[in-house]
Amino acid sequence: MRKLLTVLLLLNTFLFLRAETYTDSLSRPKLVVGIVVDQMRWDFLYRYYDRYLPNGGFKRMLHQGFSCENTLIPYAPTVTACGHACIYTGSIPAINGIAGNEWWDNKEMRDVYCVEDNVRSVGTEGPAGAMSPKNMLTTSICDELRIATNFRSKVIGIAIKDRGGILPAGHSANAAYWYESRSGNWITSAYYMNELPKWVRDFNASKWPDKYYAEGWNTLYPVNTYMQSSSDEKTYEAKTFGADQKKFPYDLKKFIGTNYGVLPGTPHGNSITTEFAKAAINAEKLGADVITDFLTLSYSSPDYIGHAYGPNSVEVEDNYLRLDKELGEFFGFLDAKIGQGQYLVFLSADHGVAHVPVFLKENKIPAGVVAGNTMPDEMGKAMKEKFGSDKLVASLANYQLYLDHRLIDSLKLDTDAVKKWLINYVSNYDGVDRAFETGEELTEQPLNSRIKSMLVNGYHPRRSGDIQIILKPQWFSGYQAGTTHGAWYPYDSHIPLLWYGWKIKPGKLNREVHMTDIAPTIAALLHIQMPSGNVGHVIEEVVR
């Protein structure tokens, strides 16, 4: 009898424990915050490390979070739309279809913007709100979270740039908001809603841009302490605030009520983005219950500042010192609002940036600029002489030439002959390393396997060009003032990747991982399906 009672007791205990196992709720964070810093080179984490605050955002993530030190973009062109799409889809332009910020459409015979759509603007009478994610062919990790929770999770995307707010949030987002330079307001489109929520209207009514303009932009610390930068005034820096304003401090009062397009080119663009994010968290009650919500947050201003002044400028250094402080305060807000350890954050970048060629040449490093603004006209004249038309190249974008195949056919020209002539013509430009056909011909090029893989990953048959151009190292297509990005080189493709918060153990990883690995790693942490076009892998060291 005792043996029977003992067996029954053990059986009851087993069944109780088994029931406990199956009734435990799935553990997930209350809120996921994805942060993309537009145009952040990986080395910025350490270039200004000594000046980052102990309680600022970067050191907090580096010391208390997990850093993937060798994170690379696995495709080219390395531009904003592609980067935001890749991070959140775990996919590449060849699959998700976001082949550039814009591309030539052979059916419509025009350049297509990555997030354009025939939808009504909401929050403005202008066309700036006619945007949606329809051109992105795959799901994002935010879509998968929405599906996994039967659409009970809230997803909101926020960025000054429309593409930075729209593409990360995915197709099924509750909302995406972006900044309209014409009005200084945050707007959206009818793809998401018919009118702005009251909290957005109230935020716009507060006229944040005018307040920031009244402050102006001076360095956070005495300008003579910015030892990681060139001298404050350089001839190769753009004069974004007028020809009379060549160095700090910058007086922005003249833009009050007149020119809201200037704001994104200052650190105030980061500040207004953070304030809008806080307002969204409060008003939409993000992270307020057990259903995981997702906020995608892209800081666009570093890109505007970096393009204008270059990565060795006082302006860029000041921007990152201020952003560090900003992020530290934002994490403090999340601690108080959501709770320490209750939210998950990752921080990465959509691309890096090249140094200004004049700066490099001043320091005996080879560099240069291919005048992309004059190349089409010069090429057109040469084509007219050779083939009888100056319109055979329909578009030059993403370091690719798009041919007008209709015109070539109507003129009864040999397409292969046109391509060979163009390849030879472009290859003779100073600064061009090589040019070749895309598509199947691309795989046969005598290129390093990494470069070839990046170009193949960036090639979409209906959205990429006919001829690929590769420039020499430290060269880019643009102007003598400022800088840009878009190439395969490490300065454009080596990006930061930091993890912090919910279930993230402190650590550092030096093995190579890729931008495509971010989305599947989030999927593993949340126990949800990876996005539909995912080609990345889970970073095991992060999820342990």
Side-chain angles (χ1 to χ4, degrees), residues 45-219:
L45 286 175
Y46 300 102
R47 184 179 179 89
Y48 313 124
Y49 181 88
D50 290 346
R51 305 201 76 185
Y52 289 146
L53 299 173
N55 60 344
F58 294 125
K59 283 187 175 176
R60 183 168 178 173
M61 297 191 84
L62 285 168
H63 296 169
Q64 300 176 37
F66 194 94
S67 177
C68 299
E69 296 283 293
N70 196 19
T71 304
L72 301 175
I73 298 174
Y75 61 81
T78 48
V79 295
T80 297
C82 301
H84 284 80
C86 178
I87 286 172
Y88 285 88
T89 65
S91 192
I92 49 180
I95 296 173
N96 64 36
I98 302 300
N101 292 333
E102 61 277 316
W103 54 81
W104 177 260
D105 188 297
N106 277 312
K107 287 185 178 180
E108 297 191 23
M109 297 301 293
R110 66 179 181 88
D111 287 312
V112 170
Y113 181 56
C114 57
V115 291
E116 69 170 60
D117 195 1
N118 186 27
V119 291
R120 179 174 56 86
S121 297
V122 173
T124 178
E125 297 300 319
M131 307 290 168
S132 86
K134 78 166 188 176
N135 288 324
M136 189 166 70
L137 305 178
T138 67
T139 62
S140 79
I141 191 63
C142 296
D143 289 319
E144 297 299 336
L145 177 62
R146 291 271 286 158
I147 293 169
T149 61
N150 200 24
F151 300 95
R152 291 179 295 165
S153 292
K154 276 190 175 182
V155 171
I156 294 178
I158 293 171
I160 282 180
K161 293 183 182 179
D162 46 23
R163 55 190 182 271
I166 291 169
L167 296 172
H171 299 275
S172 62
N174 299 87
Y177 300 101
W178 52 97
Y179 178 85
E180 187 190 37
S181 295
R182 184 181 64 87
S183 64
N185 290 333
W186 290 86
I187 63 172
T188 188
S189 81
Y191 178 88
Y192 303 99
M193 62 192 73
N194 291 320
E195 64 177 5
L196 290 177
K198 183 178 183 300
W199 70 267
V200 178
R201 298 197 303 270
D202 290 344
F203 189 95
N204 288 337
S206 296
K207 296 295 181 185
W208 286 84
D210 287 343
K211 296 175 184 177
Y212 291 128
Y213 282 160
E215 292 180 23
W217 180 15
N218 200 359
T219 51

Side-chain angles (χ1 to χ4, degrees), residues 19 28 94 166 209 358 416 441:
R28 286 177 179 152
I166 291 169
V358 178
D416 288 337
E441 299 295 324

